[in-house]
Amino acid sequence: MSVSEVAPPKTYSAAAAGALVAYYTTGALVSRRPTVLGRLRALRDSDQFEQLPDDLQQRIREIVADEG
């Protein structure tokens, strides 16, 4: 079993989730774009997602859907 398999799940505040959305949409982290997208997908699928503001949830859904 690797370290990544036993690591606790990441937690995201609304500010952190908003920063991920901003990084993704502005292209500020072009080389890390796949990583940011993966984190947004993981956040969308997590229990924490419903705790985010509705507009942020919607934007994350749009980004993930667009990138299919």
Side-chain angles (χ1 to χ4, degrees):
M1 190 175 284
S2 71
V3 173
S4 64
E5 292 173 328
V6 295
K10 293 184 184 300
T11 58
Y12 293 96
S13 65
L20 285 174
V21 168
Y23 292 147
Y24 190 84
T25 57
T26 63
L29 298 174
V30 172
S31 64
R32 304 285 296 174
R33 194 173 173 110
T35 301
V36 173
L37 180 60
R39 289 189 180 167
L40 290 172
R41 280 188 182 124
L43 178 57
R44 179 203 58 191
D45 297 339
S46 75
D47 294 336
Q48 300 170 11
F49 188 70
E50 295 302 320
Q51 298 171 4
L52 297 175
D54 292 339
D55 59 331
L56 188 52
Q57 288 181 28
Q58 183 58 33
R59 187 65 187 120
I60 292 171
R61 284 186 192 107
E62 291 169 0
I63 291 170
V64 172
D66 289 346
E67 296 299 322

